[in-house]
């Protein structure tokens, strides 16, 4: 079955420390993968996308993600957290063969001063 | 940069009344979606629309819900007889053909009294 799993519902890091938000997918073939961010009372904003080109993808606001087929993972990272990064983050897969879109349940990132 | 726009930003409606949520997708996009997010919960898929017909719908999207693309620019979600549990944020999204990310609107907050 196709699925996207975000392993942590909440992550807390101190300002200035690295961020790691985990995402794993399950699919019989490699999907396209996206990370979105949602700030309070806002829509979802695209952070970055993986579409079978480079496996290390750079996005906006200093975020990047690495596609690892052997681990079926697409974890989101940032070297140094900023207070403005506090938000909900969603990992989303586009199953290219049937155009099905699957959302992860989201990870709420808290930044501690 | 073109955006998905949603109106109104906030809709308050009496239980049992009909409500129409409006979305203007990005003009060259071909796939259209509605999602909802109950306060504090995950984003839930409602329906996808392509080539003037529903391509997929979730269990949430029952007979009370309908979608329409009446004039080639708007994409509407109608709830026929609203219930208290329909109170949520409703997001519209669109994307181009192929391996392309969805673009989301800022959402309509629907409050049922």
């Amino acid at each position: 079955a196709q699925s996207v799993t975000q392993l942590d519902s909440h992550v807390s890091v101190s300002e200035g420390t690295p961020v790691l938000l985990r995402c794993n997918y399950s699919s019989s073939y490699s999907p396209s993968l996206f990370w979105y961010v949602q700030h309070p009372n806002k829509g979802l904003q695209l952070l970055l996308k993986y579409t079978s080109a480079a496996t290390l993808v750079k996005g906006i606001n200093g975020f990047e993600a690495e596609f690892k087929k052997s681990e079926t993972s697409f974890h989101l990272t940032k070297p140094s957290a900023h207070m403005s990064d506090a938000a909900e983050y969603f990992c989303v897969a586009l199953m290219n063969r049937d155009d099905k879109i699957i959302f992860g349940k989201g990870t709420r990132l808290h930044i501690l001063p | 940069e073109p955006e998905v726009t949603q109106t109104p930003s906030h809709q308050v409606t009496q239980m049992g009344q009909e409500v129409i949520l409006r979305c203007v997708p990005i003009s060259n996009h071909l796939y259209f979606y509605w999602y909802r997010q109950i306060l504090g919960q995950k984003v839930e898929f409602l329906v996808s629309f392509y080539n003037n017909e529903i391509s997929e719908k979730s269990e949430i999207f029952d007979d009370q819900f309908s979608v329409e693309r009446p004039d080639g620019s708007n994409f509407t979600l109608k709830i026929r007889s609203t219930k208290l549990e329909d109170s949520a944020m409703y997001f519209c999204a669109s994307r181009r053909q192929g391996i392309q990310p969805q673009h989301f609107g800022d959402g309509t907050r629907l409050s049922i009294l």
Side-chain angles (χ1 to χ4, degrees):
Chain A
Q2 299 166 334
S3 65
V4 172
T5 303
Q6 291 183 244
L7 296 156
D8 307 297
S9 58
H10 292 264
V11 169
S12 295
V13 302
S14 297
E15 189 175 21
T17 64
V19 175
L20 170 64
L21 304 183
R22 297 183 291 169
C23 173
N24 288 86
Y25 69 90
S26 173
S27 174
S28 54
Y29 50 89
S30 294
S32 298
L33 295 159
F34 311 93
W35 274 100
Y36 287 86
V37 60
Q38 184 185 29
H39 290 277
N41 300 311
K42 290 287 188 184
L44 281 75
Q45 180 186 17
L46 181 68
L47 273 179
L48 48 79
K49 60 182 180 180
Y50 165 75
T51 57
S52 79
T55 56
L56 182 61
V57 181
K58 292 188 187 299
I60 63 172
N61 301 338
F63 284 94
E64 60 183 44
E66 186 171 8
F67 175 74
K68 292 186 177 179
K69 187 174 180 178
S70 60
E71 298 176 10
T72 61
S73 69
F74 189 58
H75 301 333
L76 181 70
T77 60
K78 182 172 179 176
S80 176
H82 192 272
M83 292 301 289
S84 61
D85 295 327
E88 187 95 16
Y89 291 79
F90 293 94
C91 182
V92 179
L94 168 60
M95 303 299 174
N96 304 321
R97 289 190 189 171
D98 57 9
D99 279 338
K100 193 177 176 75
I101 289 181
I102 300 176
F103 267 72
K105 291 187 177 181
T107 299
R108 184 165 295 278
L109 177 62
H110 304 271
I111 310 298
L112 308 172
Chain B
E1 187 177 326
E3 294 179 339
V4 176
T5 56
Q6 290 187 243
T7 54
S9 55
H10 192 188
Q11 173 83 43
V12 181
T13 302
Q14 292 283 337
M15 186 173 62
Q17 296 295 306
E18 175 183 286
V19 66
I20 297 176
L21 309 182
R22 300 181 193 281
C23 170
V24 179
I26 296 172
S27 62
N28 63 347
H29 286 193
L30 300 177
Y31 293 81
F32 313 109
Y33 305 83
W34 282 102
Y35 293 86
R36 82 170 184 193
Q37 186 178 33
I38 295 171
L39 186 64
Q41 298 187 24
K42 61 179 178 144
V43 175
E44 298 175 293
F45 168 73
L46 290 178
V47 65
S48 58
F49 192 87
Y50 172 70
N51 202 23
N52 286 319
E53 60 183 26
I54 290 173
S55 47
E56 189 179 0
K57 60 183 180 179
S58 71
E59 291 176 354
I60 303 167
F61 195 88
D62 61 20
D63 292 345
Q64 294 299 312
F65 290 86
S66 62
V67 289
E68 217 177 27
R69 189 156 159 78
D71 56 12
S73 63
N74 290 285
F75 179 53
T76 61
L77 174 70
K78 183 195 290 189
I79 309 175
R80 206 151 302 148
S81 177
T82 49
K83 303 187 281 286
L84 291 176
E85 53 264 38
D86 293 327
S87 295
M89 197 77 166
Y90 288 79
F91 293 104
C92 173
S94 69
R95 70 177 181 92
R96 290 189 290 167
Q97 184 100 26
I99 305 170
Q100 298 291 337
Q102 295 169 305
H103 294 255
F104 285 82
D106 280 343
T108 293
R109 181 170 298 283
L110 178 62
S111 300
I112 307 300
L113 305 178

